Amino acid sequence: MFSKSCEYAIKATIYIAEQAGFDKRVGLKEIAQAIDSPEAFTAKILQQLSKNRIVDSVKGPSGGFSMDKKNLEVLKLSQIVKAIDGDSVYKGCGLGFNECSEKKPCPVHYKFKTIRDELRNMLETTSVKDLSMNLNKGLAFLKK
Amino acid sequence: MFSKSCEYAIKATIYIAEQAGFDKRVGLKEIAQAIDSPEAFTAKILQQLSKNRIVDSVKGPSGGFSMDKKNLEVLKLSQIVKAIDGDSVYKGCGLGFNECSEKKPCPVHYKFKTIRDELRNMLETTSVKDLSMNLNKGLAFLKK
DNA sequence: AAATTAAAGGATAATTTTATCCCTTAACAT
DNA sequence: ATGTTAAGGGATAAAATTATCCTTTAATTT
Ligand code: FES
Ligand code: FES
């Protein structure tokens, strides 16, 4: 569904968001531990998230990653997915056509489109804040 | 969503199914052309489909791939997907946990599960026959 | 039976994705 | 100012996926 990069990106963002709730800035090591991901690889992904203004980063001592609390409320899953995997997840053809279109639909088009649109809707309406709150309440986990 | 292998597998099966409607047996070359896929790679996938009894294959002159017309009615997309990609597509966790479970749900679990279950339902109820009929009617295409 | 045909299967290559290493840059602490 | 700290970024490496090549096996045709 999502690439490994995107999975890490979502988990990292949710963790940073949770900590941002306590006005805490968190470092790479802490993030990698919290979401059980390879450190160096996670660093690359955080770079991308930072470039895409999804997270803020500060260098140096007591530096790390954080998020604007206000931005946090409007940030949706779709923005993370789009930043890392592009929009093929909820725009692409189920059978790999370059373009999904009604003009020349692949055999699964009509069956697939429905589900894909629901996925898009879910991603576009699910806010990172909601997810981080469930995490904070112990209703969800970032690693097993 | 699906791997490239799986995409080819689905397209190939649908094409073989369509031709099976005319009691035609089709060769590798013809299939690869019809679905616009690399020949040698497609051969590997057809081997897997054959091993999984999804298609029948006959060697030698006037050999090729075919499908049992009766089996064709009960064959669902899910069987192809399972044979090629396993069941992670509609059983796996959206954020890559080894196991998707309510006991220790990932942050997107409840949002994701709904969609994933609809995908499973779609795959399990969509028959290859239906898809091949649309193809035959010119309502769907296997390549652009 | 022999030749021909087409799938099966093994070995290998190219590409993409995932992951690591190490040096550079910027912020903070002293 | 200087040293320390942590992210940024370039270069590589490992692993998985996608793809090709070539030999073997089995069926048909002659
Ligand atoms: S053309 Fe394949 S999903 Fe729309
Ligand atoms: S635990 Fe992640 S989708 Fe169920």
Side-chain angles (χ1 to χ4, degrees), chain A residues 2 7 11 94-98 104-107 111 118 131 139-141 144, chain B residues 2 7 11 94-98 104-107 111 118 126 131 139-141 144:
Chain A
F2 308 120
E7 290 175 2
K11 289 188 212 171
L95 294 186
F97 283 9
N98 294 335
K104 218 155 192 225
C106 75
K111 301 268 180 181
E118 281 175 37
L131 300 180
L139 300 175
F141 305 86
K144 49 168 174 138
Chain B
F2 307 121
E7 290 175 2
K11 289 187 213 171
L95 294 185
F97 285 8
N98 294 335
K104 214 151 193 228
C106 75
K111 301 266 181 182
E118 280 173 40
T126 302
L131 300 179
L139 299 175
F141 305 86
K144 52 173 172 139

PDB file of all heavy atoms in Angstrom, chain A residues 2 7 11 94-98 104-107 111 118 131 139-141 144, chain B residues 2 7 11 94-98 104-107 111 118 126 131 139-141 144:
ATOM      1  N   PHE A   2       1.474   1.537   1.149  1.00  0.00           N
ATOM      2  CA  PHE A   2       2.459   2.612   1.206  1.00  0.00           C
ATOM      3  C   PHE A   2       3.865   1.998   1.137  1.00  0.00           C
ATOM      4  O   PHE A   2       4.051   0.843   1.479  1.00  0.00           O
ATOM      5  CB  PHE A   2       2.323   3.405   2.504  1.00  0.00           C
ATOM      6  CG  PHE A   2       0.940   3.891   2.780  1.00  0.00           C
ATOM      7  CD1 PHE A   2       0.257   3.496   3.921  1.00  0.00           C
ATOM      8  CD2 PHE A   2       0.297   4.733   1.888  1.00  0.00           C
ATOM      9  CE1 PHE A   2      -1.036   3.939   4.169  1.00  0.00           C
ATOM     10  CE2 PHE A   2      -0.995   5.183   2.123  1.00  0.00           C
ATOM     11  CZ  PHE A   2      -1.662   4.782   3.275  1.00  0.00           C
ATOM     12  N   GLU A   7       5.632   4.671   5.370  1.00  0.00           N
ATOM     13  CA  GLU A   7       5.226   4.153   6.679  1.00  0.00           C
ATOM     14  C   GLU A   7       6.032   4.837   7.784  1.00  0.00           C
ATOM     15  O   GLU A   7       5.468   5.307   8.776  1.00  0.00           O
ATOM     16  CB  GLU A   7       5.445   2.637   6.742  1.00  0.00           C
ATOM     17  CG  GLU A   7       4.477   1.843   5.872  1.00  0.00           C
ATOM     18  CD  GLU A   7       4.787   0.346   5.850  1.00  0.00           C
ATOM     19  OE1 GLU A   7       5.736  -0.095   6.550  1.00  0.00           O
ATOM     20  OE2 GLU A   7       4.100  -0.392   5.124  1.00  0.00           O
ATOM     21  N   LYS A  11       4.620   7.358  10.771  1.00  0.00           N
ATOM     22  CA  LYS A  11       4.876   7.071  12.188  1.00  0.00           C
ATOM     23  C   LYS A  11       5.681   8.196  12.830  1.00  0.00           C
ATOM     24  O   LYS A  11       5.362   8.648  13.929  1.00  0.00           O
ATOM     25  CB  LYS A  11       5.645   5.746  12.319  1.00  0.00           C
ATOM     26  CG  LYS A  11       4.823   4.511  11.995  1.00  0.00           C
ATOM     27  CD  LYS A  11       5.625   3.263  12.351  1.00  0.00           C
ATOM     28  CE  LYS A  11       5.323   2.103  11.443  1.00  0.00           C
ATOM     29  NZ  LYS A  11       6.240   0.969  11.648  1.00  0.00           N
ATOM     30  N   GLY A  94      -5.177   0.684 -10.780  1.00  0.00           N
ATOM     31  CA  GLY A  94      -4.959  -0.555 -10.046  1.00  0.00           C
ATOM     32  C   GLY A  94      -4.142  -1.575 -10.807  1.00  0.00           C
ATOM     33  O   GLY A  94      -3.493  -2.435 -10.215  1.00  0.00           O
ATOM     34  N   LEU A  95      -4.153  -1.489 -12.122  1.00  0.00           N
ATOM     35  CA  LEU A  95      -3.387  -2.438 -12.923  1.00  0.00           C
ATOM     36  C   LEU A  95      -2.171  -1.792 -13.586  1.00  0.00           C
ATOM     37  O   LEU A  95      -1.602  -2.345 -14.524  1.00  0.00           O
ATOM     38  CB  LEU A  95      -4.283  -3.110 -13.965  1.00  0.00           C
ATOM     39  CG  LEU A  95      -5.384  -4.014 -13.390  1.00  0.00           C
ATOM     40  CD1 LEU A  95      -6.123  -4.739 -14.493  1.00  0.00           C
ATOM     41  CD2 LEU A  95      -4.806  -5.030 -12.400  1.00  0.00           C
ATOM     42  N   GLY A  96      -1.808  -0.611 -13.140  1.00  0.00           N
ATOM     43  CA  GLY A  96      -0.538  -0.013 -13.567  1.00  0.00           C
ATOM     44  C   GLY A  96      -0.553   0.839 -14.826  1.00  0.00           C
ATOM     45  O   GLY A  96       0.506   1.198 -15.322  1.00  0.00           O
ATOM     46  N   PHE A  97      -1.744   1.144 -15.349  1.00  0.00           N
ATOM     47  CA  PHE A  97      -1.782   2.072 -16.483  1.00  0.00           C
ATOM     48  C   PHE A  97      -1.166   3.406 -16.064  1.00  0.00           C
ATOM     49  O   PHE A  97      -1.273   3.806 -14.905  1.00  0.00           O
ATOM     50  CB  PHE A  97      -3.235   2.337 -16.919  1.00  0.00           C
ATOM     51  CG  PHE A  97      -3.849   1.231 -17.711  1.00  0.00           C
ATOM     52  CD1 PHE A  97      -3.217   0.001 -17.855  1.00  0.00           C
ATOM     53  CD2 PHE A  97      -5.091   1.411 -18.323  1.00  0.00           C
ATOM     54  CE1 PHE A  97      -3.812  -1.018 -18.582  1.00  0.00           C
ATOM     55  CE2 PHE A  97      -5.679   0.391 -19.056  1.00  0.00           C
ATOM     56  CZ  PHE A  97      -5.041  -0.822 -19.184  1.00  0.00           C
ATOM     57  N   ASN A  98      -0.557   4.104 -17.022  1.00  0.00           N
ATOM     58  CA  ASN A  98       0.030   5.402 -16.704  1.00  0.00           C
ATOM     59  C   ASN A  98      -1.013   6.360 -16.138  1.00  0.00           C
ATOM     60  O   ASN A  98      -0.755   7.097 -15.205  1.00  0.00           O
ATOM     61  CB  ASN A  98       0.658   6.027 -17.947  1.00  0.00           C
ATOM     62  CG  ASN A  98       1.842   5.230 -18.445  1.00  0.00           C
ATOM     63  OD1 ASN A  98       2.481   4.513 -17.669  1.00  0.00           O
ATOM     64  ND2 ASN A  98       2.139   5.330 -19.718  1.00  0.00           N
ATOM     65  N   LYS A 104     -10.500   5.064 -21.157  1.00  0.00           N
ATOM     66  CA  LYS A 104      -9.921   3.755 -21.447  1.00  0.00           C
ATOM     67  C   LYS A 104      -9.655   3.026 -20.140  1.00  0.00           C
ATOM     68  O   LYS A 104      -8.505   2.896 -19.706  1.00  0.00           O
ATOM     69  CB  LYS A 104      -8.624   3.926 -22.249  1.00  0.00           C
ATOM     70  CG  LYS A 104      -8.466   2.850 -23.305  1.00  0.00           C
ATOM     71  CD  LYS A 104      -7.592   3.247 -24.468  1.00  0.00           C
ATOM     72  CE  LYS A 104      -7.730   2.240 -25.599  1.00  0.00           C
ATOM     73  NZ  LYS A 104      -6.448   1.848 -26.176  1.00  0.00           N
ATOM     74  N   PRO A 105     -10.706   2.564 -19.517  1.00  0.00           N
ATOM     75  CA  PRO A 105     -10.560   1.963 -18.192  1.00  0.00           C
ATOM     76  C   PRO A 105      -9.981   0.552 -18.253  1.00  0.00           C
ATOM     77  O   PRO A 105     -10.260  -0.189 -19.195  1.00  0.00           O
ATOM     78  CB  PRO A 105     -11.999   1.919 -17.668  1.00  0.00           C
ATOM     79  CG  PRO A 105     -12.830   1.805 -18.891  1.00  0.00           C
ATOM     80  CD  PRO A 105     -12.109   2.557 -19.972  1.00  0.00           C
ATOM     81  N   CYS A 106      -9.176   0.227 -17.290  1.00  0.00           N
ATOM     82  CA  CYS A 106      -8.674  -1.144 -17.190  1.00  0.00           C
ATOM     83  C   CYS A 106      -9.805  -2.022 -16.647  1.00  0.00           C
ATOM     84  O   CYS A 106     -10.806  -1.497 -16.167  1.00  0.00           O
ATOM     85  CB  CYS A 106      -7.453  -1.206 -16.286  1.00  0.00           C
ATOM     86  SG  CYS A 106      -7.842  -1.060 -14.524  1.00  0.00           S
ATOM     87  N   PRO A 107      -9.641  -3.328 -16.710  1.00  0.00           N
ATOM     88  CA  PRO A 107     -10.746  -4.216 -16.290  1.00  0.00           C
ATOM     89  C   PRO A 107     -11.218  -4.020 -14.851  1.00  0.00           C
ATOM     90  O   PRO A 107     -12.385  -4.246 -14.552  1.00  0.00           O
ATOM     91  CB  PRO A 107     -10.167  -5.613 -16.508  1.00  0.00           C
ATOM     92  CG  PRO A 107      -9.163  -5.450 -17.590  1.00  0.00           C
ATOM     93  CD  PRO A 107      -8.545  -4.100 -17.333  1.00  0.00           C
ATOM     94  N   LYS A 111     -14.478  -1.240 -10.212  1.00  0.00           N
ATOM     95  CA  LYS A 111     -14.429  -1.890  -8.892  1.00  0.00           C
ATOM     96  C   LYS A 111     -13.389  -1.210  -8.004  1.00  0.00           C
ATOM     97  O   LYS A 111     -13.582  -1.004  -6.810  1.00  0.00           O
ATOM     98  CB  LYS A 111     -14.046  -3.363  -9.062  1.00  0.00           C
ATOM     99  CG  LYS A 111     -14.991  -4.167  -9.932  1.00  0.00           C
ATOM    100  CD  LYS A 111     -16.063  -4.823  -9.099  1.00  0.00           C
ATOM    101  CE  LYS A 111     -17.014  -5.639  -9.972  1.00  0.00           C
ATOM    102  NZ  LYS A 111     -18.073  -6.248  -9.150  1.00  0.00           N
ATOM    103  N   GLU A 118     -12.269   6.054  -1.606  1.00  0.00           N
ATOM    104  CA  GLU A 118     -12.503   6.033  -0.161  1.00  0.00           C
ATOM    105  C   GLU A 118     -11.177   6.180   0.579  1.00  0.00           C
ATOM    106  O   GLU A 118     -11.101   6.837   1.616  1.00  0.00           O
ATOM    107  CB  GLU A 118     -13.197   4.735   0.248  1.00  0.00           C
ATOM    108  CG  GLU A 118     -14.684   4.765  -0.049  1.00  0.00           C
ATOM    109  CD  GLU A 118     -15.345   3.430   0.243  1.00  0.00           C
ATOM    110  OE1 GLU A 118     -14.947   2.775   1.225  1.00  0.00           O
ATOM    111  OE2 GLU A 118     -16.229   3.031  -0.531  1.00  0.00           O
ATOM    112  N   LEU A 131      -4.699  11.252  15.272  1.00  0.00           N
ATOM    113  CA  LEU A 131      -3.918  10.027  15.415  1.00  0.00           C
ATOM    114  C   LEU A 131      -2.958  10.123  16.597  1.00  0.00           C
ATOM    115  O   LEU A 131      -2.786   9.165  17.353  1.00  0.00           O
ATOM    116  CB  LEU A 131      -3.144   9.746  14.127  1.00  0.00           C
ATOM    117  CG  LEU A 131      -3.999   9.558  12.868  1.00  0.00           C
ATOM    118  CD1 LEU A 131      -3.119   9.296  11.669  1.00  0.00           C
ATOM    119  CD2 LEU A 131      -4.994   8.425  13.051  1.00  0.00           C
ATOM    120  N   LEU A 139      -4.358   4.270  23.045  1.00  0.00           N
ATOM    121  CA  LEU A 139      -5.296   3.539  22.186  1.00  0.00           C
ATOM    122  C   LEU A 139      -4.638   3.078  20.886  1.00  0.00           C
ATOM    123  O   LEU A 139      -5.238   2.354  20.106  1.00  0.00           O
ATOM    124  CB  LEU A 139      -6.504   4.423  21.848  1.00  0.00           C
ATOM    125  CG  LEU A 139      -7.327   4.906  23.051  1.00  0.00           C
ATOM    126  CD1 LEU A 139      -8.420   5.860  22.607  1.00  0.00           C
ATOM    127  CD2 LEU A 139      -7.934   3.709  23.783  1.00  0.00           C
ATOM    128  N   ALA A 140      -3.413   3.543  20.675  1.00  0.00           N
ATOM    129  CA  ALA A 140      -2.681   3.118  19.470  1.00  0.00           C
ATOM    130  C   ALA A 140      -1.193   3.065  19.786  1.00  0.00           C
ATOM    131  O   ALA A 140      -0.735   3.670  20.764  1.00  0.00           O
ATOM    132  CB  ALA A 140      -2.955   4.089  18.326  1.00  0.00           C
ATOM    133  N   PHE A 141      -0.464   2.334  18.937  1.00  0.00           N
ATOM    134  CA  PHE A 141       0.951   2.118  19.204  1.00  0.00           C
ATOM    135  C   PHE A 141       1.788   2.338  17.952  1.00  0.00           C
ATOM    136  O   PHE A 141       1.305   2.156  16.841  1.00  0.00           O
ATOM    137  CB  PHE A 141       1.153   0.710  19.735  1.00  0.00           C
ATOM    138  CG  PHE A 141       0.314   0.412  20.944  1.00  0.00           C
ATOM    139  CD1 PHE A 141      -0.996  -0.047  20.786  1.00  0.00           C
ATOM    140  CD2 PHE A 141       0.810   0.599  22.222  1.00  0.00           C
ATOM    141  CE1 PHE A 141      -1.800  -0.300  21.909  1.00  0.00           C
ATOM    142  CE2 PHE A 141       0.021   0.350  23.339  1.00  0.00           C
ATOM    143  CZ  PHE A 141      -1.291  -0.100  23.192  1.00  0.00           C
ATOM    144  N   LYS A 144       5.418  -2.630  17.952  1.00  0.00           N
ATOM    145  CA  LYS A 144       4.798  -3.746  18.691  1.00  0.00           C
ATOM    146  C   LYS A 144       5.515  -3.992  20.014  1.00  0.00           C
ATOM    147  O   LYS A 144       6.655  -3.698  20.173  1.00  0.00           O
ATOM    148  CB  LYS A 144       4.811  -5.002  17.824  1.00  0.00           C
ATOM    149  CG  LYS A 144       6.183  -5.266  17.211  1.00  0.00           C
ATOM    150  CD  LYS A 144       6.301  -6.632  16.606  1.00  0.00           C
ATOM    151  CE  LYS A 144       7.631  -6.714  15.901  1.00  0.00           C
ATOM    152  NZ  LYS A 144       8.425  -7.856  15.995  1.00  0.00           N
TER     153      LYS A 144
ATOM    154  N   PHE B   2      -0.813  -3.327  -5.804  1.00  0.00           N
ATOM    155  CA  PHE B   2      -0.323  -4.657  -6.168  1.00  0.00           C
ATOM    156  C   PHE B   2       1.083  -4.532  -6.735  1.00  0.00           C
ATOM    157  O   PHE B   2       1.467  -3.483  -7.253  1.00  0.00           O
ATOM    158  CB  PHE B   2      -1.230  -5.287  -7.229  1.00  0.00           C
ATOM    159  CG  PHE B   2      -2.679  -5.313  -6.867  1.00  0.00           C
ATOM    160  CD1 PHE B   2      -3.622  -4.686  -7.665  1.00  0.00           C
ATOM    161  CD2 PHE B   2      -3.117  -5.968  -5.725  1.00  0.00           C
ATOM    162  CE1 PHE B   2      -4.971  -4.690  -7.326  1.00  0.00           C
ATOM    163  CE2 PHE B   2      -4.465  -5.977  -5.380  1.00  0.00           C
ATOM    164  CZ  PHE B   2      -5.394  -5.338  -6.194  1.00  0.00           C
ATOM    165  N   GLU B   7       0.048  -7.336 -11.136  1.00  0.00           N
ATOM    166  CA  GLU B   7      -0.683  -6.633 -12.188  1.00  0.00           C
ATOM    167  C   GLU B   7      -0.663  -7.442 -13.481  1.00  0.00           C
ATOM    168  O   GLU B   7      -1.698  -7.640 -14.129  1.00  0.00           O
ATOM    169  CB  GLU B   7      -0.061  -5.257 -12.434  1.00  0.00           C
ATOM    170  CG  GLU B   7      -0.281  -4.263 -11.300  1.00  0.00           C
ATOM    171  CD  GLU B   7       0.458  -2.935 -11.502  1.00  0.00           C
ATOM    172  OE1 GLU B   7       1.119  -2.761 -12.556  1.00  0.00           O
ATOM    173  OE2 GLU B   7       0.392  -2.082 -10.615  1.00  0.00           O
ATOM    174  N   LYS B  11      -3.891  -9.196 -15.431  1.00  0.00           N
ATOM    175  CA  LYS B  11      -4.170  -8.930 -16.842  1.00  0.00           C
ATOM    176  C   LYS B  11      -4.082 -10.198 -17.671  1.00  0.00           C
ATOM    177  O   LYS B  11      -4.949 -10.462 -18.519  1.00  0.00           O
ATOM    178  CB  LYS B  11      -3.153  -7.906 -17.377  1.00  0.00           C
ATOM    179  CG  LYS B  11      -3.347  -6.497 -16.835  1.00  0.00           C
ATOM    180  CD  LYS B  11      -2.403  -5.533 -17.559  1.00  0.00           C
ATOM    181  CE  LYS B  11      -1.923  -4.400 -16.682  1.00  0.00           C
ATOM    182  NZ  LYS B  11      -0.862  -3.605 -17.307  1.00  0.00           N
ATOM    183  N   GLY B  94      -1.445  -1.309   7.756  1.00  0.00           N
ATOM    184  CA  GLY B  94      -1.180  -0.152   6.920  1.00  0.00           C
ATOM    185  C   GLY B  94       0.144   0.524   7.207  1.00  0.00           C
ATOM    186  O   GLY B  94       0.713   1.197   6.344  1.00  0.00           O
ATOM    187  N   LEU B  95       0.647   0.333   8.404  1.00  0.00           N
ATOM    188  CA  LEU B  95       1.927   0.950   8.747  1.00  0.00           C
ATOM    189  C   LEU B  95       3.040  -0.076   8.902  1.00  0.00           C
ATOM    190  O   LEU B  95       4.082   0.211   9.495  1.00  0.00           O
ATOM    191  CB  LEU B  95       1.795   1.795  10.014  1.00  0.00           C
ATOM    192  CG  LEU B  95       0.892   3.022   9.884  1.00  0.00           C
ATOM    193  CD1 LEU B  95       0.925   3.851  11.150  1.00  0.00           C
ATOM    194  CD2 LEU B  95       1.308   3.885   8.688  1.00  0.00           C
ATOM    195  N   GLY B  96       2.807  -1.281   8.415  1.00  0.00           N
ATOM    196  CA  GLY B  96       3.889  -2.262   8.339  1.00  0.00           C
ATOM    197  C   GLY B  96       4.119  -3.143   9.539  1.00  0.00           C
ATOM    198  O   GLY B  96       5.119  -3.864   9.597  1.00  0.00           O
ATOM    199  N   PHE B  97       3.217  -3.120  10.530  1.00  0.00           N
ATOM    200  CA  PHE B  97       3.363  -4.069  11.641  1.00  0.00           C
ATOM    201  C   PHE B  97       3.302  -5.486  11.089  1.00  0.00           C
ATOM    202  O   PHE B  97       2.612  -5.754  10.103  1.00  0.00           O
ATOM    203  CB  PHE B  97       2.231  -3.903  12.660  1.00  0.00           C
ATOM    204  CG  PHE B  97       2.352  -2.704  13.545  1.00  0.00           C
ATOM    205  CD1 PHE B  97       3.329  -1.742  13.330  1.00  0.00           C
ATOM    206  CD2 PHE B  97       1.496  -2.532  14.625  1.00  0.00           C
ATOM    207  CE1 PHE B  97       3.437  -0.634  14.157  1.00  0.00           C
ATOM    208  CE2 PHE B  97       1.593  -1.427  15.461  1.00  0.00           C
ATOM    209  CZ  PHE B  97       2.562  -0.484  15.231  1.00  0.00           C
ATOM    210  N   ASN B  98       4.005  -6.398  11.772  1.00  0.00           N
ATOM    211  CA  ASN B  98       3.982  -7.797  11.319  1.00  0.00           C
ATOM    212  C   ASN B  98       2.557  -8.344  11.302  1.00  0.00           C
ATOM    213  O   ASN B  98       2.170  -9.054  10.377  1.00  0.00           O
ATOM    214  CB  ASN B  98       4.841  -8.660  12.234  1.00  0.00           C
ATOM    215  CG  ASN B  98       6.311  -8.294  12.140  1.00  0.00           C
ATOM    216  OD1 ASN B  98       6.762  -7.765  11.121  1.00  0.00           O
ATOM    217  ND2 ASN B  98       7.057  -8.557  13.191  1.00  0.00           N
ATOM    218  N   LYS B 104      -3.151  -4.550  19.635  1.00  0.00           N
ATOM    219  CA  LYS B 104      -2.126  -3.503  19.587  1.00  0.00           C
ATOM    220  C   LYS B 104      -2.197  -2.798  18.244  1.00  0.00           C
ATOM    221  O   LYS B 104      -1.352  -2.989  17.372  1.00  0.00           O
ATOM    222  CB  LYS B 104      -0.745  -4.128  19.814  1.00  0.00           C
ATOM    223  CG  LYS B 104       0.171  -3.189  20.575  1.00  0.00           C
ATOM    224  CD  LYS B 104       1.230  -3.914  21.422  1.00  0.00           C
ATOM    225  CE  LYS B 104       1.899  -2.970  22.394  1.00  0.00           C
ATOM    226  NZ  LYS B 104       3.365  -3.076  22.385  1.00  0.00           N
ATOM    227  N   PRO B 105      -3.215  -1.981  18.072  1.00  0.00           N
ATOM    228  CA  PRO B 105      -3.447  -1.357  16.770  1.00  0.00           C
ATOM    229  C   PRO B 105      -2.466  -0.210  16.506  1.00  0.00           C
ATOM    230  O   PRO B 105      -2.087   0.506  17.430  1.00  0.00           O
ATOM    231  CB  PRO B 105      -4.864  -0.819  16.898  1.00  0.00           C
ATOM    232  CG  PRO B 105      -5.037  -0.550  18.349  1.00  0.00           C
ATOM    233  CD  PRO B 105      -4.223  -1.571  19.061  1.00  0.00           C
ATOM    234  N   CYS B 106      -2.082  -0.065  15.277  1.00  0.00           N
ATOM    235  CA  CYS B 106      -1.264   1.078  14.893  1.00  0.00           C
ATOM    236  C   CYS B 106      -2.184   2.303  14.793  1.00  0.00           C
ATOM    237  O   CYS B 106      -3.411   2.149  14.807  1.00  0.00           O
ATOM    238  CB  CYS B 106      -0.569   0.809  13.559  1.00  0.00           C
ATOM    239  SG  CYS B 106      -1.671   0.919  12.140  1.00  0.00           S
ATOM    240  N   PRO B 107      -1.621   3.482  14.692  1.00  0.00           N
ATOM    241  CA  PRO B 107      -2.464   4.690  14.702  1.00  0.00           C
ATOM    242  C   PRO B 107      -3.518   4.754  13.595  1.00  0.00           C
ATOM    243  O   PRO B 107      -4.565   5.363  13.788  1.00  0.00           O
ATOM    244  CB  PRO B 107      -1.446   5.821  14.542  1.00  0.00           C
ATOM    245  CG  PRO B 107      -0.192   5.290  15.134  1.00  0.00           C
ATOM    246  CD  PRO B 107      -0.185   3.839  14.761  1.00  0.00           C
ATOM    247  N   LYS B 111      -9.075   3.436  10.884  1.00  0.00           N
ATOM    248  CA  LYS B 111      -9.365   4.133   9.626  1.00  0.00           C
ATOM    249  C   LYS B 111      -9.048   3.232   8.440  1.00  0.00           C
ATOM    250  O   LYS B 111      -9.744   3.208   7.427  1.00  0.00           O
ATOM    251  CB  LYS B 111      -8.523   5.411   9.524  1.00  0.00           C
ATOM    252  CG  LYS B 111      -8.745   6.387  10.649  1.00  0.00           C
ATOM    253  CD  LYS B 111      -9.787   7.419  10.286  1.00  0.00           C
ATOM    254  CE  LYS B 111      -9.995   8.422  11.403  1.00  0.00           C
ATOM    255  NZ  LYS B 111     -11.040   9.395  11.084  1.00  0.00           N
ATOM    256  N   GLU B 118     -12.910  -3.569   2.645  1.00  0.00           N
ATOM    257  CA  GLU B 118     -13.702  -3.391   1.425  1.00  0.00           C
ATOM    258  C   GLU B 118     -12.917  -3.875   0.219  1.00  0.00           C
ATOM    259  O   GLU B 118     -13.467  -4.458  -0.706  1.00  0.00           O
ATOM    260  CB  GLU B 118     -14.076  -1.918   1.244  1.00  0.00           C
ATOM    261  CG  GLU B 118     -15.264  -1.516   2.094  1.00  0.00           C
ATOM    262  CD  GLU B 118     -15.526  -0.014   2.031  1.00  0.00           C
ATOM    263  OE1 GLU B 118     -15.395   0.552   0.928  1.00  0.00           O
ATOM    264  OE2 GLU B 118     -15.851   0.578   3.083  1.00  0.00           O
ATOM    265  N   THR B 126     -15.293 -10.282  -6.870  1.00  0.00           N
ATOM    266  CA  THR B 126     -15.158  -9.981  -8.294  1.00  0.00           C
ATOM    267  C   THR B 126     -14.621 -11.199  -9.033  1.00  0.00           C
ATOM    268  O   THR B 126     -13.513 -11.660  -8.760  1.00  0.00           O
ATOM    269  CB  THR B 126     -14.206  -8.788  -8.507  1.00  0.00           C
ATOM    270  OG1 THR B 126     -14.694  -7.653  -7.808  1.00  0.00           O
ATOM    271  CG2 THR B 126     -14.086  -8.468  -9.986  1.00  0.00           C
ATOM    272  N   LEU B 131     -14.924  -9.706 -15.429  1.00  0.00           N
ATOM    273  CA  LEU B 131     -13.935  -8.783 -15.968  1.00  0.00           C
ATOM    274  C   LEU B 131     -13.622  -9.092 -17.421  1.00  0.00           C
ATOM    275  O   LEU B 131     -13.475  -8.190 -18.251  1.00  0.00           O
ATOM    276  CB  LEU B 131     -12.661  -8.839 -15.124  1.00  0.00           C
ATOM    277  CG  LEU B 131     -12.823  -8.472 -13.641  1.00  0.00           C
ATOM    278  CD1 LEU B 131     -11.503  -8.583 -12.920  1.00  0.00           C
ATOM    279  CD2 LEU B 131     -13.409  -7.077 -13.493  1.00  0.00           C
ATOM    280  N   LEU B 139     -15.654  -2.690 -23.104  1.00  0.00           N
ATOM    281  CA  LEU B 139     -15.884  -1.766 -21.993  1.00  0.00           C
ATOM    282  C   LEU B 139     -14.644  -1.606 -21.117  1.00  0.00           C
ATOM    283  O   LEU B 139     -14.611  -0.785 -20.213  1.00  0.00           O
ATOM    284  CB  LEU B 139     -17.053  -2.252 -21.134  1.00  0.00           C
ATOM    285  CG  LEU B 139     -18.398  -2.358 -21.851  1.00  0.00           C
ATOM    286  CD1 LEU B 139     -19.455  -2.960 -20.924  1.00  0.00           C
ATOM    287  CD2 LEU B 139     -18.846  -0.980 -22.333  1.00  0.00           C
ATOM    288  N   ALA B 140     -13.656  -2.437 -21.404  1.00  0.00           N
ATOM    289  CA  ALA B 140     -12.411  -2.347 -20.636  1.00  0.00           C
ATOM    290  C   ALA B 140     -11.247  -2.745 -21.532  1.00  0.00           C
ATOM    291  O   ALA B 140     -11.435  -3.402 -22.564  1.00  0.00           O
ATOM    292  CB  ALA B 140     -12.474  -3.244 -19.408  1.00  0.00           C
ATOM    293  N   PHE B 141     -10.061  -2.333 -21.125  1.00  0.00           N
ATOM    294  CA  PHE B 141      -8.877  -2.557 -21.955  1.00  0.00           C
ATOM    295  C   PHE B 141      -7.710  -3.106 -21.136  1.00  0.00           C
ATOM    296  O   PHE B 141      -7.609  -2.848 -19.938  1.00  0.00           O
ATOM    297  CB  PHE B 141      -8.479  -1.243 -22.618  1.00  0.00           C
ATOM    298  CG  PHE B 141      -9.603  -0.612 -23.393  1.00  0.00           C
ATOM    299  CD1 PHE B 141     -10.527   0.224 -22.771  1.00  0.00           C
ATOM    300  CD2 PHE B 141      -9.760  -0.888 -24.753  1.00  0.00           C
ATOM    301  CE1 PHE B 141     -11.584   0.785 -23.479  1.00  0.00           C
ATOM    302  CE2 PHE B 141     -10.806  -0.322 -25.477  1.00  0.00           C
ATOM    303  CZ  PHE B 141     -11.721   0.510 -24.831  1.00  0.00           C
ATOM    304  N   LYS B 144      -3.054   0.463 -22.986  1.00  0.00           N
ATOM    305  CA  LYS B 144      -3.523   1.764 -23.476  1.00  0.00           C
ATOM    306  C   LYS B 144      -3.355   1.852 -24.987  1.00  0.00           C
ATOM    307  O   LYS B 144      -2.578   1.207 -25.584  1.00  0.00           O
ATOM    308  CB  LYS B 144      -2.750   2.881 -22.784  1.00  0.00           C
ATOM    309  CG  LYS B 144      -1.246   2.677 -22.887  1.00  0.00           C
ATOM    310  CD  LYS B 144      -0.473   3.859 -22.363  1.00  0.00           C
ATOM    311  CE  LYS B 144       0.998   3.489 -22.317  1.00  0.00           C
ATOM    312  NZ  LYS B 144       1.947   4.418 -22.703  1.00  0.00           N
TER     313      LYS B 144
END
